[in-house]
Amino acid sequence: MKPSPNKAFDDIVDRLKISLGPLGEFTEVDTLSVGNRKYPLIKIVLGKGNPRRILISGGIHGDEPSGVETICSFLENKLYKNFLDNWEFTLLPCINPSGFEVGTRNNQDDIDLNRMFREVTAPQEVNFVKTVLDQPYELDLELHEDIDSPGYYLYQKDKSAELSSLGRVILDQVESIHPLNLAEEIEEVPMDRGLLSRLSEPDEMEWWPMALYAFTRGCNHVFTLETSPALPMAVRVKAHLLAIQTALNQKERKP
Ligand SMILES: [Zn+2]
């Protein structure tokens, strides 16, 4: 089956630039060439120099557009503004632009970028993300969707000895607008009302997703957040936006 094309990536770039205005820093860190097409690999920073740092990313899987839409909407609605006293935001709106444009999970070379973070020789898009992770973040929120899931769920990994309550709090909030996935496990990992705690240690895994790489780079709280494409786009975006705001509000309360 031919994948359905997403909105052109150029439209996304335009929306990001217009909504950001002069407030933040829009950087084309690298350029990805696919045939005659060139895609910028984009990093946006808001509140530069603030003491607390959060990374929010979307579109590492090109067929999961709600993460990309969420970052556009986050900027368009200026949802960062209550947090700009303390937080420096780094946004990676679309890590896999060629996959996004044609609606495929993998990139132009049919590589799943989110399996490549342990490779010494990694694709250009992965190297771009690794550069961004040179400095540790307190919070890393990775926006995904899962075509096989009837509801929202998340993977949580954090540095504290005991799992923090943050993942549970996020899900309790999101449940008011987006049903949770209530399965007891996903891919043999036990799940508690949408919460998966990744207990595996980085050294035990053959391949690393971005989340595990971020964890090894010193991120204190790493979340992989998954919506269900069975729900309308507006609901999925709203759920991801609520997850982001809940995580920030909780961290403000309990530094
Ligand atoms: Zn994904």
Side-chain angles (χ1 to χ4, degrees), residues 25 29 42-57 86-92 128-142 157-159 166 210-211 213-223 248 251:
E25 233 179 59
V29 177
I42 296 163
K43 175 176 88 164
I44 290 170
V45 177
L46 284 154
K48 193 167 186 176
N50 284 340
R52 308 184 73 177
R53 303 180 77 238
I54 176 169
L55 176 65
I56 306 171
S57 64
N86 286 324
W87 292 86
E88 179 187 282
F89 288 86
T90 300
L91 311 174
L92 307 181
F128 153 63
V129 176
K130 284 183 168 180
T131 316
V132 173
L133 282 162
D134 270 351
Q135 303 253 317
Y137 295 83
E138 188 173 334
L139 262 174
D140 170 30
L141 307 182
E142 303 182 11
K157 187 154 182 73
D158 55 27
K159 287 265 184 216
L166 197 47
M210 176 180 162
Y213 182 79
F215 182 74
T216 66
R217 299 298 301 166
C219 286
N220 292 339
H221 298 280
V222 179
F223 292 96
L248 283 161
K251 291 297 288 175

Side-chain angles (χ1 to χ4, degrees), residues 60-61 63-64 105 114 143-146 224 226:
I60 195 167
H61 291 137
D63 59 347
E64 299 175 9
R105 177 181 177 91
N114 209 26
L143 309 177
H144 286 254
E145 30 196 345
D146 182 345
T224 307
E226 307 268 0

Side-chain angles (χ1 to χ4, degrees), residues 155-175:
Y155 294 95
Q156 172 170 1
K157 187 154 182 73
D158 55 27
K159 287 265 184 216
S160 42
E162 285 176 33
L163 198 68
S164 84
S165 57
L166 197 47
R168 184 78 270 150
V169 176
I170 290 171
L171 288 165
D172 285 348
Q173 288 295 316
V174 165
E175 194 176 16

Side-chain angles (χ1 to χ4, degrees), residues 2 12-13 19 33 40 92 113 132 150 161 217 222 228 233 238 243:
K2 209 169 182 295
I12 295 294
V13 176
S19 58
S33 294
L92 307 181
L113 299 173
V132 173
R217 299 298 301 166
V222 179
S228 165
M233 176 63 88
K238 219 170 147 189

